[in-house]
Amino acid sequence: MLLNQVYQTQKLFTSWRPLIGSLNHVTGTWHLKQPTVLNRQQNVPPSRVSNTSILQQSSLHTINRYNKKILRQQPVLHQPSCQLGLKPASLVAAMPKPVQPYLQLMRADKPIGTWLLYIPCTWSICLAAQPGFFPDFYMLGLFGLGAWVMRGAGCTINDLWDRDFDKAVERTRTRPIASGSVSPYQGLAFLALQLSVGLGVLVQLNTYSIILGASSLGLVVTYPLMKRITYWPQLFLGLTFNWGAMLGWSAVQGSCDWLAVLPLYVSCIAWTLFYDTIYAHQDKEDDVLIGVKSTALLLGDNTKPWLAGFASVMIGGLTLVGMETGQTYPYYAAILLAAAHLGTQTATVDLNNTQDCWNKFQSNRRLGLIILAGIIASTLMKKPKEEKVKNQ
């Protein structure tokens, strides 16, 4: 009898051993995988029920003591949802409730637009930098602030103009003005604040740049109306959105070298036509219903050949910029990578899939940063002007 009890105890420990210390990470905490305990008393003779139950209880007590020791040695893992996320949407959600609608109005929770406004500015600033040196980081920071504020101002103007249209479109009906969380009057007051900050950034630049920057305000205000008038609102967005391609150069050099700046500006406009046509395919069904126009509706099933054309103009213009500014091979390597990126987007985008259009649209930030890295590396490889003079 005693040997039989010892045997059963050993067998029970053997069956539990693989489970001891088997830990799963569930909802940010460690816990033991609990097995289903069978009722072994059903097939046990009456004379042995009590002994078997005692042995099981004793074994489970030993195992629980061992598990508690293990758990004391494990680090405490917290649920990810309890941690403050660094994503823009999470940061906006963490702000005080009265502030959130205004941050959403300026699209602070969706920074891709700010990136696409800022990147042409960085290209221009870095192309205008002194050979052999890094670009002016103060100027890059100043333009970064300006891009963030003015992109927000553009979104506010757009939502004021389109508040009735936005209510009829699934993707936009929750925007603050369309949903009523911000009134048109409050939107105008917030716009005045944004434009004041933008003006404060602009006046830090030289006089030539102040005049050049102020001249874009007409485009900023009227662009949202273009979708009511023409099937090419993306072209007017390109004219507006890429003003920084000229402004960045003049801020560094004091004026524009138009042989370099104009091809850069045209390249950036073609880029905007490329990515915003893809973006417009998200809303084409709603646009038809509410009567607004876009290149997505104009081009329809012929969109991809046009995308290839926009990409070709962009790459061709950037090549001319490189030749005019004396760029070195890292610049042209970046241009080749950008061409491959554009080609991949054109070939693989599903224009009838809203999520895929959004993903392709967002991927253009990576494309812009690839070109930026090429410009910086190319400029650093150039010989400084003093060294050129000595060699002559």
Side-chain angles (χ1 to χ4, degrees):
M1 175 68 72
L2 180 59
L3 290 176
N4 189 27
Q5 291 178 352
V6 172
Y7 172 76
Q8 288 183 358
T9 304
Q10 185 178 10
K11 186 177 179 180
L12 183 61
F13 268 103
T14 302
S15 64
W16 276 84
R17 188 177 294 114
L19 300 172
I20 298 174
S22 176
L23 301 173
N24 288 333
H25 180 216
V26 178
T27 64
T29 59
W30 293 95
H31 73 92
L32 285 172
K33 185 189 294 182
Q34 298 294 338
T36 301
V37 180
L38 298 176
N39 184 4
R40 299 180 182 273
Q41 297 183 5
Q42 295 175 357
N43 297 321
V44 178
S47 61
R48 295 173 56 185
V49 169
S50 59
N51 290 336
T52 304
S53 300
I54 293 171
L55 286 170
Q56 288 180 347
Q57 293 175 5
S58 176
S59 301
L60 290 173
H61 179 69
T62 305
I63 290 170
N64 288 334
R65 288 177 58 192
Y66 182 72
N67 289 337
K68 289 178 181 179
K69 182 178 180 181
I70 291 176
L71 290 173
R72 285 196 298 267
Q73 297 172 355
Q74 299 299 332
V76 178
L77 301 180
H78 300 284
Q79 296 183 11
S81 59
C82 295
Q83 297 176 358
L84 178 63
L86 294 179
K87 292 183 178 181
S90 300
L91 294 175
V92 170
M95 293 292 131
K97 291 291 183 182
V99 177
Q100 290 182 23
Y102 294 96
L103 294 175
Q104 292 165 354
L105 179 60
M106 65 183 299
R107 312 291 196 273
D109 55 335
K110 297 177 181 177
I112 179 62
T114 301
W115 277 106
L116 295 176
L117 177 62
Y118 178 55
I119 285 173
C121 304
T122 66
W123 292 354
S124 185
I125 291 170
C126 295
L127 285 167
Q130 293 297 317
F133 293 92
F134 281 102
D136 187 336
F137 290 106
Y138 170 75
M139 201 63 68
L140 288 172
L142 197 63
F143 271 74
L145 175 60
W148 185 69
V149 171
M150 291 308 297
R151 188 261 180 149
C155 291
T156 303
I157 293 171
N158 181 81
D159 288 7
L160 285 168
W161 282 117
D162 291 351
R163 59 185 181 273
D164 293 328
F165 286 148
D166 287 345
K167 294 175 184 178
V169 177
E170 180 66 29
R171 187 177 58 83
T172 60
R173 65 181 54 176
T174 58
R175 287 177 176 174
I177 294 179
S179 66
S181 57
V182 174
S183 69
Y185 176 79
Q186 291 171 325
L188 283 172
F190 185 54
L191 175 62
L193 174 62
Q194 290 172 296
L195 293 177
S196 298
V197 176
L199 179 62
V201 172
L202 184 62
V203 297
Q204 305 303 311
L205 308 179
N206 55 62
T207 303
Y208 184 100
S209 299
I210 292 174
I211 296 172
L212 180 63
S215 63
S216 70
L217 192 58
L219 285 171
V220 172
V221 174
T222 59
Y223 152 70
L225 297 174
M226 293 301 123
K227 66 183 73 174
R228 298 165 170 80
I229 302 170
T230 176
Y231 280 100
W232 290 93
Q234 281 71 27
L235 175 60
F236 286 90
L237 175 64
L239 292 169
T240 308
F241 225 54
N242 297 293
W243 207 259
M246 300 181 288
L247 191 60
W249 186 289
S250 69
V252 174
Q253 296 287 350
S255 62
C256 287
D257 178 358
W258 294 108
L259 291 177
V261 171
L262 276 181
L264 178 63
Y265 185 48
V266 171
S267 297
C268 293
I269 292 172
W271 185 32
T272 301
L273 281 165
F274 179 90
Y275 64 67
D276 208 59
T277 296
I278 294 175
Y279 181 87
H281 272 274
Q282 297 179 99
D283 299 329
K284 55 190 175 185
E285 294 179 359
D286 290 324
D287 289 348
V288 170
L289 293 175
I290 63 180
V292 299
K293 301 174 176 66
S294 70
T295 51
L297 295 179
L298 175 66
L299 304 178
D301 294 336
N302 295 319
T303 293
K304 288 197 174 187
W306 281 87
L307 292 178
F310 298 149
S312 298
V313 172
M314 177 188 177
I315 296 301
L318 289 174
T319 302
L320 288 176
V321 171
M323 295 170 63
E324 182 63 30
T325 56
Q327 298 300 316
T328 56
Y329 73 85
Y331 176 85
Y332 295 103
I335 298 303
L336 287 175
L337 288 174
H341 196 293
L342 292 167
T344 301
Q345 287 187 67
T346 303
T348 62
V349 64
D350 182 354
L351 296 172
N352 295 314
N353 185 320
T354 300
Q355 186 59 50
D356 191 51
C357 289
W358 174 253
N359 292 339
K360 294 297 190 297
F361 170 73
Q362 281 195 310
S363 72
N364 282 277
R365 181 183 66 170
R366 291 195 298 271
L367 185 151
L369 294 176
I370 288 170
I371 296 175
L372 175 61
I375 295 172
I376 294 174
S378 175
T379 303
L380 291 173
M381 290 190 67
K382 293 180 184 179
K383 291 183 179 181
K385 290 182 179 180
E386 296 81 359
E387 188 175 333
K388 286 184 178 180
V389 172
K390 288 181 181 179
N391 292 335
Q392 291 175 355

